[in-house]
Amino acid sequence: MNVIQQNIEEVKRRIAEACARAGRDPSEVKLLMATKTIAPDWILQAFECGELLIGENKVQELAEKYEALSAVPHRAHFIGHLQTNKIKDVIQYADCIESVDRFDLAEKLARRLRFEDKTIDVLIQVNTSAEETKSGCAPEEALSLIKQVSAFPDLRIKGLMTIGLFSSDTEKVRACYRLLKNIQEDCIKLALPNVEMAVLSMGMSGDFEIAIEEGSTEVRVGTSIFGERVYH
């Protein structure tokens, strides 16, 4: 068994244990492999383990790895901050954009999709930790943004995404995830057209158990699968 396979099995064991604590079925939680800076041959090893959902932070990396990974049917999500000048490229390579966090971006995305006669899945990113360095709309503006974005038939809203507080204080981290869950529940009550609220993308290598206990349906895990990233 290679290292990546061992790591994936360990991550899945942690997911199962967190689900057991929360009284949830592990099949409710998808594993998204965060592949920033990870070479295609390593990603292909992970695909061999049956994990076929990846997330990239940079449009350029998504494009560069596309050819090497295309032989294996898989899904690629864009999980980084999206600049409007990258819209044309991202919709060529991503199946879902998890980081729609402002109306201006949604509007330009919808316009480009309409021009190309395409639709795409999106998540609304919410800044639940109130950190200025993080992307995401303010929690109090999330419902208003969802209503605005729901008017674009080209964008299929599937749920919400957040990056929790990087902190050893687990209660503060938990509060971020609880806040996203509350926004999800408030949005479901509105029963908006063109809006599904099935996906809660929250939790990374260091805190995904807490996220699962608070309702995450997708954890974004890189380091625990591929090791510490090497930046050149």
Side-chain angles (χ1 to χ4, degrees):
M1 193 189 293
N2 67 34
V3 173
I4 288 173
Q5 190 179 352
Q6 282 179 331
N7 289 348
I8 287 172
E9 292 197 358
E10 172 63 12
V11 166
K12 289 175 95 165
R13 184 190 64 75
R14 287 170 59 192
I15 289 172
E17 286 186 357
C19 285
R21 284 194 298 276
R24 298 181 62 199
D25 184 335
S27 68
E28 294 173 14
V29 182
K30 283 187 181 162
L31 172 59
L32 177 148
M33 301 184 297
T35 48
K36 180 165 91 175
T37 77
I38 305 302
D41 56 338
W42 283 35
I43 301 169
L44 289 166
Q45 283 184 48
F47 285 173
E48 284 174 18
C49 303
E51 295 303 324
L52 299 169
L53 176 60
I54 61 169
E56 283 288 352
N57 287 68
K58 293 192 170 146
V59 177
Q60 188 182 341
E61 271 197 75
L62 200 56
E64 284 169 357
K65 295 174 194 177
Y66 184 79
E67 201 60 47
L69 301 178
S70 61
V72 182
H74 66 282
R75 281 181 66 80
H77 287 199
F78 184 76
I79 58 176
H81 178 70
L82 182 58
Q83 294 163 310
T84 53
N85 64 346
K86 301 285 187 192
I87 284 172
K88 187 161 71 91
D89 297 325
V90 79
I91 64 174
Q92 305 301 325
Y93 303 108
D95 299 291
C96 174
I97 297 167
E98 297 203 3
S99 47
V100 173
D101 60 356
R102 57 205 188 277
F103 179 73
D104 165 58
L105 172 63
E107 188 178 36
K108 288 179 176 162
L109 199 48
R111 195 180 304 150
R112 186 71 208 185
L113 287 160
R114 204 169 309 131
F115 176 74
E116 297 199 16
D117 197 24
K118 284 183 172 180
T119 61
I120 200 164
D121 292 349
V122 300
L123 303 184
I124 302 298
Q125 183 176 357
V126 184
N127 183 347
T128 54
S129 61
E131 293 169 279
E132 286 182 13
T133 52
K134 287 207 182 126
S135 301
C137 67
E140 62 274 14
E141 292 166 8
L143 291 179
S144 159
L145 179 61
I146 293 164
K147 281 179 192 166
Q148 288 179 307
V149 178
S150 72
F152 298 120
D154 328 79
L155 304 178
R156 298 188 302 261
I157 301 176
K158 297 293 182 181
L160 305 169
M161 186 266 255
T162 197
I163 299 167
L165 186 71
F166 293 122
S167 170
S168 56
D169 186 334
T170 56
E171 284 314 303
K172 284 184 178 169
V173 177
R174 193 177 291 281
C176 295
Y177 297 143
R178 198 167 284 159
L179 177 55
L180 199 71
K181 179 70 180 172
N182 289 342
I183 294 168
Q184 178 201 37
E185 288 170 350
D186 289 344
C187 188
I188 288 168
K189 285 175 197 157
L190 296 175
L192 297 166
N194 194 31
V195 177
E196 276 180 56
M197 274 287 135
V199 180
L200 276 187
S201 175
M202 57 189 197
M204 291 155 73
S205 287
D207 64 5
F208 70 73
E209 285 99 338
I210 298 170
I212 288 169
E213 288 166 9
E214 295 303 329
S216 176
T217 68
E218 179 192 287
V219 293
R220 306 182 303 276
V221 181
T223 309
S224 291
I225 293 172
F226 300 108
E228 292 295 333
R229 291 194 177 91
V230 178
Y231 293 97
H232 299 290

